[in-house]
């Protein structure tokens, strides 16, 4: 545990950010499934606190995670806008194309 696990996390998060830049939902889900257990393992063992060097790496990984979070918000906003455009054009699909809460 330690640097190897954090390097693995960094690689998995970069793969997640890359997947989120695309349109393949299965790739995004697969990348997410790889990240979750690594985070749980590192957090459970407190490995990120081992040395100041590891802490720096974790800070860098946290920035990559923030990029993934921002990408998720952008993707959600784009999807909402596309649904709003379809609803405004009055598609011939039975039922509403979108819903309001």
């Amino acid at each position: 545990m330690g640097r190897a696990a954090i390097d693995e996390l960094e690689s998995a998060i970069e793969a997640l950010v890359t997947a989120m830049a695309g349109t393949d939902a299965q790739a995004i889900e697969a990348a997410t499934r790889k990240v979750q257990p690594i985070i749980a393992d590192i957090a459970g063992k407190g490995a990120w606190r081992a040395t100041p060097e590891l802490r720096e790496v974790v800070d860098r990984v946290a920035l990559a995670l923030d990029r993934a979070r921002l990408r998720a918000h952008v993707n959600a906003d784009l999807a909402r806008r596309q649904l709003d455009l379809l609803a405004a054009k009055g598609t011939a699909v039975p039922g509403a194309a979108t819903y309001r809460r």
Side-chain angles (χ1 to χ4, degrees):
M1 178 52 73
R3 181 61 190 247
I6 292 172
D7 287 344
E8 182 182 7
L9 176 61
E10 185 173 25
S11 176
I13 289 171
E14 289 300 330
L16 175 60
V17 171
T18 299
M20 292 177 79
T23 59
D24 184 354
Q26 290 178 338
I28 295 168
E29 289 175 3
T32 301
R33 282 191 299 272
K34 287 180 183 176
V35 169
Q36 291 170 334
I38 299 169
I39 289 175
D41 188 43
I42 289 171
K45 294 179 181 174
W48 60 272
R49 295 186 194 114
T51 68
E53 176 191 343
L54 285 180
R55 181 66 195 162
E56 285 181 31
V57 174
V58 169
D59 288 343
R60 189 173 66 239
V61 170
L63 289 174
L65 256 178
D66 195 45
R67 283 197 315 273
R69 182 188 59 81
L70 290 173
R71 173 60 72 177
H73 287 291
V74 168
N75 288 348
D77 185 57
L78 290 173
R80 182 192 51 79
R81 288 177 187 215
Q82 289 175 342
L83 287 172
D84 287 346
L85 285 172
L86 285 173
K89 292 190 185 264
T91 63
V93 177
T98 63
Y99 65 93
R100 298 280 183 219
R101 292 182 188 194

